Amino acid sequence: MSATIVIGPYSETDLAALNDAFAPTFLASPADLAGLDAATREGATAVAFKGHNAFGGEAMDLLPNIGLIANFGVGYDAIDVKAADARGIKVTNTPDVLNDDVADLAVALLLMRGREMEHATNWARSGQWKGKGEYRLNRKVSGGKAGIVGLGRIGREIANRLVAFKMDIHYFARSEKETSGWTYHADPVSLAKEVDYLIVALVGGPDTVNFVSAEVLDALGPRGIIVNISRGSTIDEEALLDALEQDKIYGAALDVYLNEPDINPRFYALDNVVLQPHQGSGTVETRAAMAKLQRDNLVAYHAKEPLLTPVN
């Protein structure tokens, strides 16, 4: 009987590695726990979890002897950490190993929207360059003012990259940070008023739902570009769609959405938004590092050694 249960949409490579290390029971989602026999549920002491399906207290109660939920990803908002605390369950995540990829994509998204790279590529591929002439002039990105909403690990990596683009860095965080001359703002509205580009790098969860509100988007204004590589919940999506449709902002570049992958179809009709399929950490190298860190936390737990990246 396995002491580990694996839940979520893992790749074949990751499934094989988990199977070699733990010979676990595999499930598609926490909802499938109820279908396991009592002996398997009671024998489980740890869970490897991946995905965005809610993992709450009721699901945890079906596994009365687990002491660890090891999350695949830096964001763990799908896991009810308060419920885990109440049951003496530790939660781990996979921070740092994905910072570079997510920060790289944030900068790429900003460039894609500002320089209209998606549309310009289609102009060349469709033969319009030959038939209609040069593509229209677009937007200079270097030298602008960038605002980072959430100056955590990933937010700092984004800001460090934008410094190389000769940008003036502004940021919002829960408290002022030690920085090299970057400008702190105590609220997102004042931040948005001062910048050309707003990059959202917040953690997900109930505390940040609709953190970027209609008021923030109004403050960003008609020349503003917003980039989101955090969670779809951090921006008021209806307000964002209204702003894009009414040209209240210059555009958006998004890797995350509400209800993904079922993206609101209103986005598809817009030519001022770049859409990516939540692939911030989606490189072979980084996903392998994330998977290994998750397994290493499981190994440490089963060996009664200190966890590598505890959340609670």
Side-chain angles (χ1 to χ4, degrees):
M1 185 183 301
S2 172
T4 301
I5 293 177
V6 173
I7 302 174
Y10 287 85
S11 70
E12 290 299 322
T13 299
D14 291 341
L15 289 173
L18 286 161
N19 193 52
D20 288 345
F22 308 108
T25 298
F26 294 100
L27 299 175
S29 77
D32 296 326
L33 286 167
L36 290 177
D37 62 89
T40 299
R41 289 189 285 104
E42 291 172 6
T45 59
V47 172
F49 179 68
K50 179 180 181 182
H52 303 293
N53 292 317
F55 198 152
E58 290 185 6
M60 296 174 197
D61 287 340
L62 293 171
L63 303 169
N65 296 311
I66 65 166
L68 172 67
I69 301 172
N71 187 61
F72 185 106
V74 65
Y76 50 87
D77 44 298
I79 301 169
D80 187 336
V81 177
K82 289 183 179 178
D85 279 335
R87 292 158 175 79
I89 301 169
K90 301 297 290 184
V91 177
T92 60
N93 65 342
T94 60
D96 296 321
V97 294
L98 47 66
N99 295 355
D100 283 338
D101 274 349
V102 177
D104 288 351
L105 187 68
V107 175
L109 285 168
L110 177 57
L111 291 169
M112 285 179 71
R113 178 63 198 113
R115 296 305 307 271
E116 299 185 8
M117 294 170 69
E118 191 173 24
H119 300 308
T121 295
N122 291 334
W123 189 264
R125 284 184 177 275
S126 65
Q128 293 184 84
W129 184 17
K130 179 181 179 181
K132 296 182 179 180
E134 293 184 354
Y135 184 73
R136 68 190 182 196
L137 298 180
N138 41 71
R139 176 86 175 267
K140 181 178 180 180
V141 175
S142 291
K145 292 182 178 180
I148 312 296
V149 186
L151 200 70
R153 296 179 180 96
I154 293 172
R156 277 189 180 270
E157 290 292 345
I158 295 168
N160 287 335
R161 283 156 172 75
L162 295 179
V163 167
F165 284 82
K166 304 174 184 176
M167 290 195 190
D168 183 13
I169 305 299
H170 296 241
Y171 71 96
F172 164 83
R174 285 175 292 184
S175 60
E176 191 167 0
K177 309 293 184 182
E178 289 188 13
T179 63
S180 302
W182 301 347
T183 303
Y184 171 68
H185 295 262
D187 67 89
V189 174
S190 65
L191 172 64
K193 284 180 180 178
E194 292 297 321
V195 300
D196 306 301
Y197 319 122
L198 197 67
I199 298 95
V200 186
L202 294 166
V203 297
D207 292 341
T208 58
V209 171
N210 292 344
F211 194 85
V212 177
S213 62
E215 186 180 6
V216 174
L217 295 170
D218 286 342
L220 185 59
R223 290 287 291 167
I225 296 174
I226 189 163
V227 176
N228 192 8
I229 47 77
S230 60
R231 285 287 189 265
S233 59
T234 60
I235 297 179
D236 183 335
E237 195 166 275
E238 289 296 313
L240 174 60
L241 282 160
D242 289 344
L244 290 166
E245 290 169 347
Q246 299 167 29
D247 293 322
K248 291 182 178 180
I249 61 176
Y250 188 83
L254 310 172
D255 190 44
V256 290
Y257 316 84
L258 290 179
N259 306 315
E260 57 187 50
D262 186 16
I263 299 174
N264 190 318
R266 290 168 66 188
F267 282 117
Y268 300 144
L270 295 167
D271 64 1
N272 56 353
V273 58
V274 174
L275 307 175
Q276 290 290 292
H278 200 157
Q279 60 147 344
S281 63
T283 67
V284 171
E285 296 85 354
T286 289
R287 290 289 172 85
M290 292 166 65
K292 184 177 185 303
L293 181 51
Q294 182 187 45
R295 294 194 302 271
D296 287 347
N297 273 305
L298 288 162
V299 168
Y301 174 76
H302 286 309
K304 296 181 170 35
E305 295 176 354
L307 299 171
L308 282 71
T309 52
V311 167
N312 59 348

